Amino acid sequence: AQKVTQAQTEISVVEKEDVTLDCVYETRDTTYYLFWYKQPPSGELVFLIRRNSFDEQNEISGRYSWNFQKSTSSFNFTITASQVVDSAVYFCALSETSTDSWGKLQFGAGTQVVVTP
Amino acid sequence: DSGVTQTPKHLITATGQRVTLRCSPRSGDLSVYWYQQSLDQGLQFLIQYYNGEERAKGNILERFSAQQFPDLHSELNLSSLELGDSALYFCASSGDNPYNEQFFGPGTRLTVL
C-alpha cells in the first residue's frame, strides 16, 4: 500500500504566484521522519528538509515553508513568490523507524511544478 | 554537488546482459542506499548497506545484487536484464544515523534494448 500520497500530479503557476504541494502519509510508527526532495530537469535529487514526528513546528527557509500537521498526517510544502528555477518535480518521503526500515525512504509519486514567466 | 558519485552516467545494453553500477558515498558516510526510478513504479528503495553489511532490503529482484566494499564504495549488479529494467538508478549515502537526510548521486540511466 502507498504510504505517501501526493495527490497533485502537476501544478502550473505563473512566476511570483505561491504554490502549495500536498503530502499525506500513513504509518503506525510513533517515531518517524518526513522529507522533501526536489528533482529539477537535470535529474538529480536535491534534499530540501527533514522533519521528525515530534517536531510539529512549522519551518521557513527563504521562499520555502513547510506545514507539518500530525493530526491530519500531512506535511505540506509552500513555495512563495515562485520563480522559473523552481520548476521541478517535488517528492515527499517517509522514513519509518521500525526494525526492518533502517532509514529507507518511501517516496510519494511526486508533483511536477511548472512555473512560467 | 552532493558529494556522492556514480558511474557510469549512462549505460545502454541488450536484454540478457549483466551490468555493474558503481557508487562512492560522501566522505565519512557509512550508509549506502540504492533506489530505482521508473515511469511506472516511481522511486523505489532497493537495498541498504551500512559499513559493509546489508541492513535493509526493499523491492529488489533476485536478478539484482549489491555489495559494499571495505573502502565503503558500493556496486549494484543487474543480471539477465529485461526491457523493464530500464530506469534511473540512484545511490544515496547518509551518516551514522540511518534516519539522517540522504544525499543522492546524479544517477545512472540504464537503457535495455
Side-chain angles (χ1 to χ4, degrees):
Chain A
Q2 190 74 10
K3 294 208 169 190
V4 178
T5 301
Q6 296 181 254
Q8 305 146 308
T9 306
E10 181 171 326
I11 302 176
S12 293
V13 296
V14 176
E15 216 170 11
K16 296 183 185 171
E17 286 183 345
D18 297 348
V19 56
T20 295
L21 311 182
D22 298 334
C23 172
V24 174
Y25 61 91
E26 180 187 326
T27 180
R28 291 185 180 180
D29 287 6
T30 52
T31 303
Y32 52 89
Y33 296 84
L34 296 164
F35 301 79
W36 278 93
Y37 282 85
K38 172 183 179 179
Q39 187 174 38
S42 50
E44 74 271 25
L45 281 164
V46 179
F47 166 75
L48 296 178
I49 189 170
R50 167 183 175 266
R51 212 78 179 134
N52 74 55
S53 53
F54 297 106
D55 184 0
E56 289 194 67
Q57 198 169 4
N58 290 335
E59 180 151 343
I60 298 175
S61 175
R63 296 184 297 106
Y64 294 171
S65 61
W66 291 269
N67 183 333
F68 176 29
Q69 291 200 347
K70 218 166 169 178
S71 60
T72 57
S73 298
S74 65
F75 186 41
N76 297 337
F77 171 34
T78 297
I79 304 172
T80 303
S82 61
Q83 300 176 1
V84 172
V85 291
D86 296 327
S87 296
V89 181
Y90 292 86
F91 291 95
C92 180
L94 166 70
S95 178
E96 299 176 294
T97 57
S98 51
T99 308
D100 61 348
S101 291
W102 277 96
K104 71 179 183 186
L105 294 176
Q106 299 174 80
F107 286 91
T111 298
Q112 170 87 59
V113 172
V114 179
V115 182
T116 52
Chain B
D1 186 348
S2 66
V4 178
T5 61
Q6 288 187 249
T7 56
K9 196 166 173 60
H10 300 279
L11 202 46
I12 300 175
T13 189
T15 54
Q17 295 297 304
R18 172 190 169 95
V19 297
T20 297
L21 313 184
R22 184 188 167 104
C23 167
S24 292
R26 291 188 321 159
S27 177
D29 282 357
L30 300 178
S31 279
V32 169
Y33 306 77
W34 286 97
Y35 294 86
Q36 179 195 59
Q37 185 177 30
S38 63
L39 283 174
D40 53 344
Q41 298 286 330
L43 264 165
Q44 297 277 325
F45 168 75
L46 295 178
I47 198 165
Q48 183 217 357
Y49 281 83
Y50 178 83
N51 202 20
E53 290 188 14
E54 180 187 308
R55 284 293 171 87
K57 227 170 181 177
N59 300 322
I60 187 166
L61 299 170
E62 283 192 16
R63 300 183 285 108
F64 295 2
S65 65
Q67 53 185 325
Q68 186 180 27
F69 295 86
D71 67 352
L72 300 178
H73 91 270
S74 177
E75 293 181 356
L76 179 66
N77 300 297
L78 316 176
S79 61
S80 303
L81 285 167
E82 302 175 359
L83 296 177
D85 298 328
S86 295
L88 189 51
Y89 291 84
F90 285 108
C91 167
S93 75
S94 70
D96 277 356
N97 182 344
Y99 306 108
N100 280 348
E101 53 271 32
Q102 294 175 25
F103 293 92
F104 283 75
T108 293
R109 182 165 294 284
L110 174 66
T111 303
V112 183
L113 301 175

